[in-house]
Amino acid sequence: MLNDVLVVQSAVSAFNNAALFLPAFLWWALLSLPLFLMVWMCGDAFMAKIGWNKQNLLERASVWVAGLTFAWVVLFSGNYNVLRDNMSVLPMMTALLIFLSSLFVSSHLREKKFEKFGWRWWLVVLALLIFVGTCDMHAWWGPLLQIGALLFGFLLGRAARASMRPVSGTVLIVLTTTIAILMQPEFFRFGQLGNLTVLHLVAILLLGVVAMMTVAIFNIKSCAKLRDSVYVKLKWLLRVVSVLGCALFLLTEAVPVFIGTLAAVFVMFALSIWHANSISSVLGDKMLALTWILFGIITVMPVVSALGLIYWMNSSKIKFWSESKALL
């Protein structure tokens, strides 16, 4: 009864059973409510203190979202003992996330001169390379892969002629991170042994839907050229496909189903925008802010959620529910 193996197995079993019914990200979000309230009340004063305004808020906040995602990937990953197969592509996914986030940040800092820092700059670079390399120690090529992804993204960003677009860039990073979490939930401390509750799946699905609506609003133009009869039939078809995809994802937790569902949802939103006479760009700002808020909740990064809340506060007021309901 007091055998060491039995004690450890019992403890692990109890922990995993608790994790099935107690989604940690939700309780962290509830504990962060006082922080969100302070951000709502004092957000303008904070922005004035650090020199942010409505004109530069999007660019600077997006850089912080990408930079914090980079730190999160490096800090929250690395436990390769939880991988369920020896041929997992998760090391490539983490390298992709490091590449995208470093590319985004460096493209927005490409005009900044680092030479003036001298030897201190090289110490920071060396510490960062070691820090990134230690996040992947499952094989000899793991550190080389992650450090190479960081350097490649940084150099491409510095050589770019223009900065990555804040909306498309951050949404791409958010969705790629979400897909990586679904591939191996326990690797990113999101679900123990890959077991996800309905709350886990609904939160991820809601984040994906909001991100798709953000991309559609910012990239599809309204032209009102589609006939109403054709539009209604196509819209109902896409609604049915989207609902079936959501149901199938909740049942299977499969990444291909998630990606296919998001594709159907995007086409549905794009069709609604294309058929409409006009769509307010403010709705896109609200959806981007909501994407950041949900992403911060899922990854337990209250600062990202706070940035989304600040961006929501500084965008113009609209009838959010009625405007977004028109796209469903």
Side-chain angles (χ1 to χ4, degrees), residues 20-54:
L20 289 176
F21 300 100
L22 299 175
F25 77 93
L26 179 61
W27 310 130
W28 277 108
L30 293 177
L31 290 173
S32 301
L33 286 178
L35 171 64
F36 299 153
L37 181 61
M38 292 176 60
V39 171
W40 184 267
M41 297 176 61
C42 308
D44 293 337
F46 172 76
M47 288 179 56
K49 186 71 174 179
I50 62 177
W52 290 12
N53 51 54
K54 291 186 178 181

Side-chain angles (χ1 to χ4, degrees), residues 13-213:
S13 177
F15 178 77
N16 290 332
N17 289 335
L20 289 176
F21 300 100
L22 299 175
F25 77 93
L26 179 61
W27 310 130
W28 277 108
L30 293 177
L31 290 173
S32 301
L33 286 178
L35 171 64
F36 299 153
L37 181 61
M38 292 176 60
V39 171
W40 184 267
M41 297 176 61
C42 308
D44 293 337
F46 172 76
M47 288 179 56
K49 186 71 174 179
I50 62 177
W52 290 12
N53 51 54
K54 291 186 178 181
Q55 287 70 38
N56 61 21
L57 176 59
L58 177 59
E59 180 179 358
R60 297 192 178 184
S62 63
V63 170
W64 273 97
V65 170
L68 289 171
T69 303
F70 166 81
W72 182 86
V73 169
V74 173
L75 290 173
F76 268 63
S77 64
N79 185 12
Y80 284 87
N81 291 327
V82 302
L83 292 182
R84 282 166 274 165
D85 56 83
N86 295 325
M87 299 299 294
S88 175
V89 298
L90 196 58
M92 288 67 180
M93 286 297 296
T94 56
L96 176 61
L97 290 171
I98 290 175
F99 168 75
L100 289 176
S101 55
S102 61
L103 173 64
F104 185 92
V105 173
S106 62
S107 70
H108 284 268
L109 301 178
R110 68 188 191 284
E111 297 179 357
K112 189 175 182 60
K113 304 298 182 182
F114 297 103
E115 292 80 2
K116 63 180 181 180
F117 293 101
W119 62 271
R120 295 182 181 88
W121 162 244
W122 292 108
L123 285 180
V124 171
V125 171
L126 180 60
L128 181 60
L129 293 179
I130 295 175
F131 179 62
V132 172
T134 55
C135 79
D136 185 354
M137 302 291 290
H138 80 290
W140 65 268
W141 50 265
L144 298 179
L145 176 64
Q146 309 304 331
I147 293 175
L150 172 64
L151 294 177
F152 190 47
F154 177 80
L155 293 176
L156 282 183
R158 294 286 291 181
R161 295 183 179 180
S163 304
M164 289 184 67
R165 290 187 293 178
V167 176
S168 300
T170 53
V171 171
L172 176 61
I173 293 173
V174 165
L175 288 179
T176 307
T177 307
T178 304
I179 292 173
I181 291 174
L182 273 177
M183 290 174 58
Q184 207 85 50
E186 66 271 32
F187 185 81
F188 294 106
R189 281 72 167 175
F190 186 65
Q192 296 302 316
L193 298 179
N195 293 316
L196 301 180
T197 66
V198 175
L199 290 174
H200 286 93
L201 298 176
V202 169
I204 284 183
L205 196 57
L206 183 59
L207 172 60
V209 170
V210 173
M212 287 296 98
M213 187 177 291

